[in-house]
Amino acid sequence: SVSMAVDLGGIHMDNPVCTASGTFGNGWQFEGFYDVSELGAITCKGVSAEPWEGNPAPRMAELPSAVMNSVGLQNPGVRAFVRDYGDYLAGLSARGCKVICQVAGHSVEEYVRALDLFEELAPFAAGFELNISCPNIAKGGSAMGSTPAGAAEVTRACRPHTSRPLLVKLAPTNVGEIARAVEAEGADALTLINTIPGMAIDVRTRRSRVSRPTAGVSGPAIHAIAVRMVWEAARAVSIPINGVGGVASGEDAAEFILAGATAVSVGTANLYDPMAAPRVLRELEQWAEGQGVTDINELIGAFEC
Ligand code: DOR
């Protein structure tokens, strides 16, 4: 058998398969389908210091081979998040699955405030992921993460506020330069990619199919783009990468590993098949076995170019 343990910037995971933020509830919703602690890690939905209402409905639309969303980072705020999900997440962590808490903000100060609250109230968090790439909020999100200077500023401000592993989630633009900027500010790992900005028009009503004219596109349609972005980031930095984008099979996950990802997150596939993540793990392990290695780490970045 193949050793599947990996180290994502100080987050030691039993295997590389995670779930992507916002597509997996906060984990407990899936316990009726399988033992969630089989996964390497879960990433919780982004949480801000104060509660956010999110965007008006409709917030999701199905496209050919893709989903589009304009959720707008609806969340209950760190205090209510910890109150409502903290016990489950602490138990999950005790069962061996790492919990990554995602941090959202509209400004540098808001990211820091949310991180401070998490730091104080969430001992179960194995690490934190700064979401600087959400395409669905007017301020913060991709407004902050779309330039090397903006991405560096958020990372620099947050870094001294936790000694736990700090991940930064990037948008699929200017990836190499932004990856280098956040690495220089002390990020321990990168997650990429977030959804790709898109729009879909209902031609009968002439209106957007979701409540905002622009939204984020996810799912199989963005997988090849995500693989390319992970490969570019992996060549630009030496910190590990968590690959996200259209993973629905072990082969999809294997592509990310070969392109240079240390971990792989299943997102949109969770919405279509609640068993997607454990299946991806099983298939990834079978692939690694077939490659004749004894340790999955031998395959990270092993793409022959
Ligand atoms: O596509 C996304 N939707 N990416 C994010 O980072 C946040 C989410 C939302 O809540 O809008």
Side-chain angles (χ1 to χ4, degrees), residues 45 69-74 131 133-136 194-195 216:
K45 174 73 180 168
N69 87 85
S70 67
V71 172
L73 282 166
Q74 180 190 2
N131 181 355
S133 47
C134 172
N136 301 328
N194 208 315
T195 53

Side-chain angles (χ1 to χ4, degrees), residues 95-127:
R95 284 153 60 206
C97 173
K98 300 298 154 103
V99 174
I100 300 170
C101 285
Q102 195 191 78
V103 181
H106 289 123
S107 64
V108 170
E109 295 69 33
E110 283 190 27
Y111 283 99
V112 170
R113 205 156 68 234
L115 185 57
D116 280 343
L117 284 170
F118 266 129
E119 183 62 29
E120 181 192 336
L121 301 173
F124 53 82

